[in-house]
């Protein structure tokens, strides 16, 4: 059925200031566009009542499974002290006979520490408990979980419940792997509901243990048609054969070159400011990355690697350079997060057709003269993080993501953050910032002939906002009114 959408301003995102005021959609595709004058049309008509309309937002880096799953668990972002935390854990509803809690920042509670395993046992003695730190790179478990998990690595001699690095991943993925298939699909349904409410029509998400197991990737791949949102799946694994056997065109997303600044596991070329003899932890050597990325490149798999520190980023650039020198291809290999960068690394990324999949909200939460980056890196290096303008100016494809569940799946928050980066030299114009979540994001997945902009022949994926985003001074306060996916109403506030 044909539908005419009218009484609005559709910003196409093809170029600055380009818009139309009505469009005719048939079978999910934009068939015609109009400006100022409406056609003579007797079919279904939808009055968008003066909303500001943009292409549906695309988040290019999420842990949507965890985001949906943990949304049913205990959100610790507003916990005041350990007593408050324990009360919330006592009231938690089990999911597949396990307790999930997330978003704990030990520095933000009164005691300035993690709970001990003994304290958690007193609160949740009979079910496995997973409590994840805000950055996802540390977690705390109880004794029931300790005895249930099949450990692939040796635990510390004096274990107090806190896990980092490989042990953190080992624990988290045991919990995820032991969910029922129903619970897995329900987690993605919960994630879809949250993503639609913030204007997203496409979401990139990772599935796997960041080692060799792609977990429920086949289940999701077989059920994609059941979802309104387009999920772009990444087998989060080093198992290239499994990825190819399951029809994947990309791999990784959060396979780790290093950890995080918060856990002091991001790999740096110069030591941490607050730990002067510590450089962080590169998780693999250069030879490993050279071999892995070369094999992916030869098999036409786009690779996405989690890199925070400059040492880790440089490892991946080195590996991609070698693969491109062997056989140049436009695969747009991804540096995920891409936080601490030198000028020469930006140039090399551009020369090798690499992409930077970044999270503007990271700077919002942790940047600035008194922010967390400054504490662990010093001010000069803090201002060398999240270099959006520099990357774009050199021709690197930059896209926007949330790393949800780490920060909210909220493109408007990300756009506002990119426009207001703490370092003035790295701030983006509004059009550039929106592009991170629309046209640029579509290019990352080679879908720009279908989504990411609004024009004839493209999918009618769009989000309706209550203010003109190009005129607003507070983009993060704009509200999503409604969302349409392939011309079909998918969400209203």
């Amino acid at each position: 059925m044909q539908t005419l959408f009218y009484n609005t301003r559709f910003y196409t995102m093809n170029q600055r200031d380009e818009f139309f005021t009505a469009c005719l959609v048939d079978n999910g595709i934009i068939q015609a566009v109009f400006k100022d004058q409406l056609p003579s049309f007797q079919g279904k008509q939808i009055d968008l009542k003066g909303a500001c309309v943009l292409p549906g937002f695309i988040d290019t880096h999420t842990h949507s499974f965890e985001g949906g799953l943990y949304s049913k668990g205990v959100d610790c972002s507003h916990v005041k002290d350990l007593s408050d935390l324990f009360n919330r854990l006592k009231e938690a509803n089990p999911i597949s006979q396990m307790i999930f809690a997330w978003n704990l920042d030990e520095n933000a509670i009164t005691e300035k520490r993690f709970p001990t395993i003994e304290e958690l046992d007193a609160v949740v003695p009979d079910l496995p408990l997973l409590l994840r730190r805000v950055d996802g790179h540390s977690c705390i478990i109880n004794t029931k979980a300790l005895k249930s998990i099949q450990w692939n690595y040796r635990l510390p001699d004096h274990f107090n419940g806190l896990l980092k690095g490989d042990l953190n991943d080992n624990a988290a993925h045991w919990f995820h792997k032991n969910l029922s298939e129903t619970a897995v699909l329900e987690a993605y349904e919960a994630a879809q509901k949250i993503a639609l409410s913030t204007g997203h029509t496409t979401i990139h998400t990772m599935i796997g243990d960041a080692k060799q197991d792609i977990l429920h990737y086949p289940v999701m791949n077989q059920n994609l048609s059941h979802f309104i949102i387009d999920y772009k799946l990444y087998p989060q694994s080093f198992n290239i054969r499994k990825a190819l056997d399951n029809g994947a065109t990309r791999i990784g997303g959060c396979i780790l070159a290093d950890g995080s600044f918060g856990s002091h596991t991001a790999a740096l070329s110069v030591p941490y400011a607050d730990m002067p003899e510590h450089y962080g932890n590169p998780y693999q050597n250069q030879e490993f990355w050279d071999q892995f990325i070369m094999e992916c490149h030869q098999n036409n798999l786009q690779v996405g690697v989690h890199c925070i520190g400059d040492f880790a980023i440089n490892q991946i650039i080195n590996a991609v350079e070698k693969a491109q020198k062997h056989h140049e291809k436009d695969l747009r290999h991804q540096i995920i997060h891409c936080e601490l960068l030198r000028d020469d690394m930006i140039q090399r990324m551009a020369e090798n057709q690499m992409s930077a999949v970044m999270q503007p909200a990271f700077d919002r939460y942790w940047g600035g003269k008194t922010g967390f980056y400054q504490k662990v890196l010093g001010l000069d290096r803090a201002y060398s993080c999240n270099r959006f303008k520099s990357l774009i100016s050199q021709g690197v494809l930059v896209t926007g993501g949330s790393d949800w569940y780490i920060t909210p799946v909220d493109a408007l928050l990300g756009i506002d953050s990119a426009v207001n980066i703490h370092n003035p030299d790295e701030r983006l114009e509004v059009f550039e910032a929106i592009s991170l979540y629309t046209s640029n994001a579509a290019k990352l997945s080679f879908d720009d002939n279908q989504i990411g902009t609004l024009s004839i022949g493209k999918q009618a994926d769009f989000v309706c906002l209550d203010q003109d985003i190009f005129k607003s001074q507070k983009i993060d306060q704009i509200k999503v009114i409604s969302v349409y996916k392939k011309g079909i109403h998918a969400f209203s506030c």
Side-chain angles (χ1 to χ4, degrees), residues 149-161:
I149 295 169
Q150 289 80 52
W151 295 104
N152 300 322
Y153 309 93
R154 180 180 174 182
L155 289 162
D157 292 334
H158 302 288
F159 182 59
N160 63 358

Side-chain angles (χ1 to χ4, degrees), residues 238 240 255-257 284-298 301-307 310-329 331-335 345 348-349 351-354:
F238 291 108
I240 296 171
I255 50 176
L256 304 177
Q284 308 288 348
N285 60 30
Q286 187 66 58
E287 182 181 6
F288 173 89
W289 288 118
D290 290 350
Q291 293 176 352
F292 175 74
I293 290 177
M294 181 67 78
E295 186 175 350
C296 291
H297 192 79
Q298 290 172 337
L301 281 174
Q302 182 189 52
V303 183
V305 183
H306 164 114
C307 302
D310 58 339
F311 185 93
I313 295 172
N314 197 56
Q315 282 187 309
I316 305 308
I317 295 174
N318 286 340
V320 172
E321 280 180 332
K322 292 170 185 174
Q324 287 285 50
K325 185 175 182 179
H326 181 265
H327 187 175
E328 186 173 348
K329 298 179 181 181
L331 292 174
R332 304 170 197 178
H333 296 308
Q334 307 174 23
I335 300 286
M345 296 161 73
R348 290 164 61 208
M349 287 180 66
E351 290 171 350
N352 288 280
Q353 302 177 68
M354 299 177 70

Side-chain angles (χ1 to χ4, degrees), residues 36 127 150 331 344:
D36 300 327
L127 296 176
Q150 289 80 52
L331 292 174
D344 65 293

Side-chain angles (χ1 to χ4, degrees), residues 91-216:
E91 298 172 0
N93 294 317
I95 303 172
S96 293
Q97 294 303 301
M98 297 178 286
I99 302 295
F100 292 87
W102 60 295
N103 238 349
L104 178 68
D105 184 350
E106 76 284 4
N107 298 306
I109 62 175
T110 302
E111 293 85 356
K112 307 292 184 186
R113 68 172 177 86
F114 294 107
T116 65
I117 193 169
E118 292 81 10
E119 289 171 326
L120 293 180
D121 289 343
V123 180
V124 184
D126 300 323
L127 296 176
L129 165 67
L130 175 69
L131 171 57
R132 304 206 75 174
R133 191 183 185 276
V134 63
D135 64 1
H137 288 269
S138 304
C139 69
I140 310 97
I141 59 173
N142 64 355
T143 297
K144 184 68 175 178
L146 173 65
K147 293 181 177 179
S148 301
I149 295 169
Q150 289 80 52
W151 295 104
N152 300 322
Y153 309 93
R154 180 180 174 182
L155 289 162
D157 292 334
H158 302 288
F159 182 59
N160 63 358
L162 178 63
L163 302 167
K164 296 183 178 182
D166 287 330
L167 286 168
N168 169 66
D169 294 337
N170 193 164
H173 289 113
W174 178 86
F175 276 83
H176 299 162
K177 192 170 184 176
N178 281 278
L179 289 164
S180 68
E181 183 174 313
T182 298
V184 167
L185 294 175
E186 287 177 349
Y188 281 101
E189 288 170 359
Q192 172 178 262
K193 184 177 180 180
I194 295 168
L196 283 170
S197 72
T198 50
H200 295 81
T201 53
T202 301
I203 293 288
H204 293 225
T205 190
M206 299 155 290
I207 309 175
D209 69 353
K211 298 296 180 184
Q212 294 297 318
D213 195 341
I214 61 174
L215 298 177
H216 56 266

Side-chain angles (χ1 to χ4, degrees), residues 77-88:
S77 57
H78 299 295
V79 164
K80 299 176 182 177
D81 53 32
L82 289 176
S83 177
D84 184 15
L85 171 65
F86 298 150
N87 287 333
R88 296 180 188 222

